[in-house]
Amino acid sequence: KLSSRTALAVMLSLLAIQLPGLSPQPPTSRRALLRQAGALGAGAAGLAAAPPASFAGLLPPKQGIEKTKPADAELDDELLASKSVRDGIAALKQYRKSAISLQDQFAKDGNMNLIPVIRKEFDFSKLRDDLNVVTTVFDDQTQLTTDQRTRSIIYDLTELENAARLKKGDPERTPKKIANVQKWFVKLDKDFGDLFEYFPASALNYVPPPPPPPPPPARSQPPAR
């Protein structure tokens, strides 16, 4: 004999099956969200970053997911050519360039104060948004792999900042601490490179066309007689 609580749960389950309005909706992919945002003009970058799983940047990347190779990745050419994705790729390339430049500076001065420079060059929130937007071009299966790459990049930056901290009153790093900082610079560059392997060279090397020239000045009219 069913208890009243169990019977109520069964009835609600049956209602959910029979009434479409009560049935759970299938999950929407980030690619679909970005398409909807582009059609409605409602801010593609904000919607594309909606799924909470994409913001697990402060945790080590998950293991055990079947990886999609770059050669097997499916992508949407229309989204790839969109301004939001092109701008995101350009921003990620600049982040990588900034990291390489900072690594070169650190190689010359292992005691430099890295924290202010890292926080100036890397806006974690903006970086997450850019990573989420550019990976919407891929099919859902490939995004399981690219999400690992994006989480790794955020994780690398977090660990780089932690490794770069100097103790109060001790402005010098030991050789071991210097090596630890260098390790995260190397891993960050590798993870950027691993993510970029999923994009075609045409997207990574895209150069926006120059703006149109300004119109010629209007010719002055002779005074009326």
Side-chain angles (χ1 to χ4, degrees), residues 33-114:
L33 285 172
L34 186 57
R35 278 193 172 283
Q36 293 169 11
L40 298 175
L47 286 176
S54 304
F55 291 91
L58 298 182
L59 298 176
K62 295 181 179 179
Q63 304 298 324
I65 297 176
E66 183 178 353
K67 296 180 180 180
T68 302
K69 297 178 181 178
D72 298 330
E74 298 180 11
L75 54 83
D76 187 314
D77 291 328
E78 185 178 345
L79 280 180
L80 187 64
S82 66
K83 185 178 185 303
S84 58
V85 171
R86 283 176 170 171
D87 288 349
I89 292 175
L92 295 181
K93 289 172 60 180
Q94 183 58 47
Y95 280 127
R96 188 185 191 187
K97 184 177 178 182
S98 297
I100 293 173
S101 175
L102 187 55
Q103 183 180 10
D104 290 341
Q105 296 177 50
F106 182 72
K108 298 175 182 177
D109 180 9
N111 293 319
M112 71 175 292
N113 190 359
L114 284 170

Side-chain angles (χ1 to χ4, degrees), residues 27 29-31 51 53-54 56 60-69 72-74 131-132 135-152 195 198:
S29 67
R30 280 180 301 184
R31 181 190 288 193
S54 304
K62 295 181 179 179
Q63 304 298 324
I65 297 176
E66 183 178 353
K67 296 180 180 180
T68 302
K69 297 178 181 178
D72 298 330
E74 298 180 11
L131 289 168
N132 284 321
T135 53
T136 56
V137 303
F138 300 110
D139 63 284
D140 291 345
Q141 181 61 39
T142 302
Q143 285 186 32
L144 295 177
T145 302
T146 57
D147 280 353
Q148 286 185 323
R149 304 289 187 268
T150 60
R151 283 192 294 267
S152 291
L195 178 62
Y198 285 82

Side-chain angles (χ1 to χ4, degrees), residues 23 130 162 178 224:
S23 301
D130 289 331
N162 290 335
I178 291 175

